[in-house]
Amino acid sequence: MRPFVQMRSLALLFAGCVWVATACAQSDAPDAESRPDPQQMSIDRIETIIGRVDENYERNQNNIIFTFADYEILLVSDPAADRMRVMIPVNPADALDEEELLRLMQANFDSALDARYAIANGMLWSTFIHRLSSLTEEDLLSGIGQTINTADTFGTSYSSGELVFGGGDSNELRRKELIEELKERGQKAI
């Protein structure tokens, strides 16, 4: 398992923020006639899905911490705001230089796809954010996978999967990296 700085503390911080937002929004809560369809995604349905991924998950109200592919993953939801996010801490933010920050922004444009790199509370995160009501099981599982891939490829391809949006910089940067790698390997052989 990768080491994570203050994961539980950060989970509690995010849970507190969600609680405040929920408490503020409850005065605007929908009446029984306008409540979401029970088939829509809920934290209970998410818990069932996550339980199939990691039977040792931990749930604290609207938040779930679970492990997959050696990553500890935090899922935070706010039903009142109709939002959820999947997050993996990647690296301390103060360890990022200007060039790396630029590369992260390029990846957010073309190779991170539905996942994103973000900075909060002094940490670089890989994250996936979605409306709770329109989230499907396929969206959730794809989002978790993309978040893991984005965390895993930090420092290399900065990619959430196999697709890259063609209008960005990542393809060209990756081609240059491949050429440099081939040159380096070729020079070592001589």
Side-chain angles (χ1 to χ4, degrees):
M1 177 117 16
R2 294 176 186 233
F4 296 107
V5 179
Q6 304 169 340
M7 179 67 143
R8 301 278 189 261
S9 298
L10 289 171
L12 291 173
L13 173 69
F14 280 108
C17 294
V18 169
W19 180 83
V20 169
T22 302
C24 293
Q26 286 193 353
S27 62
D28 298 330
D31 59 28
E33 293 177 14
S34 63
R35 286 198 179 126
D37 181 325
Q39 293 301 315
Q40 286 181 333
M41 190 60 73
S42 66
I43 189 62
D44 293 329
R45 285 188 63 207
I46 289 173
E47 180 179 19
T48 300
I49 296 165
I50 297 303
R52 293 190 313 249
V53 171
D54 174 15
E55 61 186 30
N56 297 314
Y57 71 91
E58 296 176 31
R59 179 174 173 185
N60 180 3
Q61 297 178 13
N62 289 327
N63 308 305
I64 300 173
I65 296 175
F66 63 103
T67 302
F68 188 77
D70 292 331
Y71 282 95
E72 192 169 33
I73 303 161
L74 174 62
L75 186 144
V76 177
S77 69
D78 182 356
D82 191 29
R83 304 303 290 178
M84 63 75 57
R85 73 178 58 212
V86 175
M87 303 182 298
I88 298 173
V90 176
N91 201 53
D94 61 4
L96 302 171
D97 62 25
E98 188 175 322
E99 183 178 321
E100 205 157 41
L101 287 169
L102 175 63
R103 185 65 192 100
L104 291 170
M105 293 299 97
Q106 291 168 327
N108 278 350
F109 184 81
D110 61 18
S111 62
L113 300 180
D114 298 328
R116 291 287 179 267
Y117 292 104
I119 294 176
N121 299 304
M123 181 65 66
L124 172 67
W125 297 84
S126 173
T127 185
F128 168 73
I129 303 166
H130 202 285
R131 283 191 170 280
L132 191 56
S133 61
S134 61
L135 185 69
T136 66
E137 183 172 337
E138 184 178 338
D139 292 335
L140 177 62
L141 294 173
S142 174
I144 291 169
Q146 289 185 53
T147 305
I148 292 168
N149 286 339
T150 305
D152 199 48
T153 61
F154 168 74
T156 58
S157 66
Y158 300 88
S159 173
S160 66
E162 56 195 59
L163 299 175
V164 174
F165 176 68
D169 299 324
S170 290
N171 275 337
E172 184 61 29
L173 290 168
R174 184 65 185 141
R175 284 188 203 105
K176 288 179 183 176
E177 288 171 7
L178 289 172
I179 292 168
E180 292 298 319
E181 183 179 342
L182 286 169
K183 286 179 182 177
E184 285 177 25
R185 287 185 183 202
Q187 290 174 352
K188 289 180 184 177
I190 296 176

